[in-house]
Amino acid sequence: MPVAGTGGVSTSYNRLQQLKSFDESKAGVKGLVDSGITKLPQIFIRPPEELAADNQTPSHFTIPVIDLKGVSGDRSKVVAAVREAAETVGLFQVVNHGVPLKVLEETLTAAREFHELPQEVKGEYYTRDKMKKVKYGSNFDLYRTRYANWRDTLFCVLGPDPLHPQELPLVCRDAIMEYSRQIKVLGSLLFGLLSEALGLNPEYLESIDYAKGHSILCHYYPPCPQPELTLGTTKHSDPGFLTILLQDHIGGLQVLWQNQWINVPPVHAALVVNIGDMLQLISNDKLKSVEHRVVANHRGPRVSVACFFTLDNYPSQRIYGPIKELLSQDNPPLYRDTSLQDFNAYYYNKGLGGNSALYHFLLQR
């Protein structure tokens, strides 16, 4: 059964017991909502000092929206816009990106329909086995984080080794496979633009496997009875090279810019693109991996679908470090070389929140 809670800050409670009860229910956050809770369980409540320090100061900064319509011709203006956004904010939205609106809508619908399946059906996919290519769960860092997030996730590894469609839940199988095909094309285009933004040839990043693998995560944020006390997703940066996010109309995504949280408003038919940690590492801090979070909301459910371009669960021996063509006497390497396995292991063992995983890989700390 889903674990109940008081919604207040208690001086003592059996945290591990509540975590296990929540985990073993295999019902996720949606199971708590379905059980009729009106107050947050203790395991979801942010520490008082974090709540007190939260910066909600309004800002007039606007997230860049880049039109990719003319990218097949003279794309110097698009490259310049991508360069400016990737070097400063680390995040931008793209329109006219080539993924049909119907595909976007069907992907969001399929993600929602999976999470709204009967618990006994979707519970078959519930696991914390890191090697599973398709799994459903809530909070990958549940037992390591200071507080749990108000979010459930369906995680699917679709490359570099092809995923057999039969491994995906029937309710979202066709939509995820089609979205995967479409998003790979867009990913290739974006890696080309980012290569040019770095002053490299357009094929550079793709030629060294940066777009070779991708995972799709279908996030589900149920309506929260006390959203001011928790988060949908804790502050973090993404570990891979690049993330493309499809979000619905609810909103809630925020990025940290100049120590202020900036809303990333949903734009019709747009996709959100953000730089990942590994792309900041190999660009030697030229491109910025943005810290972001998702606030909880009374409204919902909020549904989003994130595509991470990385090589999860893939035994690659390739070593990554700052791109040598970008280095000079005035721009020496800032990071030590690492494998994706080592970087991801550190990232996932650390969990969300706290210092960026990149800090651990700096040559001088």
Side-chain angles (χ1 to χ4, degrees), residues 150-185:
W150 198 253
R151 179 192 74 253
D152 298 330
T153 301
L154 174 65
F155 177 90
C156 314
V157 179
L158 287 115
D161 294 333
L163 179 70
H164 196 289
Q166 297 297 323
E167 294 187 55
L168 289 166
L170 179 61
V171 70
C172 56
R173 183 178 300 159
D174 291 345
I176 287 180
M177 293 302 295
E178 178 59 26
Y179 186 69
S180 171
R181 285 189 285 270
Q182 297 278 350
I183 215 70
K184 280 179 67 178
V185 175

Side-chain angles (χ1 to χ4, degrees), residues 87-251:
E87 289 181 356
T88 55
V89 191
L91 179 144
F92 52 94
Q93 302 205 57
V94 291
V95 295
N96 293 316
H97 42 65
V99 183
L101 178 60
K102 181 182 179 183
V103 172
L104 302 181
E105 293 173 341
E106 289 178 347
T107 302
L108 286 172
T109 298
R112 177 195 292 255
E113 288 179 347
F114 168 80
H115 286 286
E116 295 179 352
L117 284 171
Q119 196 282 323
E120 61 271 17
V121 177
K122 66 181 179 182
E124 295 180 9
Y125 293 92
Y126 193 98
T127 180
R128 294 197 177 275
D129 183 347
K130 292 181 180 179
M131 300 310 294
K132 286 283 188 180
K133 286 191 172 184
V134 177
K135 56 189 173 185
Y136 151 67
S138 187
N139 291 263
F140 75 87
D141 55 353
L142 181 67
Y143 293 100
R144 299 186 296 281
T145 188
R146 295 184 69 188
Y147 58 92
N149 289 169
W150 198 253
R151 179 192 74 253
D152 298 330
T153 301
L154 174 65
F155 177 90
C156 314
V157 179
L158 287 115
D161 294 333
L163 179 70
H164 196 289
Q166 297 297 323
E167 294 187 55
L168 289 166
L170 179 61
V171 70
C172 56
R173 183 178 300 159
D174 291 345
I176 287 180
M177 293 302 295
E178 178 59 26
Y179 186 69
S180 171
R181 285 189 285 270
Q182 297 278 350
I183 215 70
K184 280 179 67 178
V185 175
L186 177 58
S188 179
L189 171 62
L190 289 169
F191 276 114
L193 292 170
L194 287 164
S195 294
E196 291 184 62
L198 288 169
L200 305 167
N201 71 67
E203 294 78 28
Y204 188 94
L205 292 178
E206 253 199 303
S207 71
I208 44 179
D209 296 348
Y210 291 172
K212 193 172 183 179
H214 69 286
S215 300
I216 290 179
L217 282 68
C218 301
H219 296 308
Y220 186 91
Y221 303 83
C224 182
Q226 294 177 295
E228 71 281 0
L229 296 180
T230 191
L231 286 172
T233 305
T234 300
K235 180 188 80 168
H236 68 289
S237 55
D238 293 341
F241 296 106
L242 194 69
T243 302
I244 301 176
L245 179 77
L246 166 62
Q247 61 172 339
D248 68 9
H249 64 286
I250 297 290

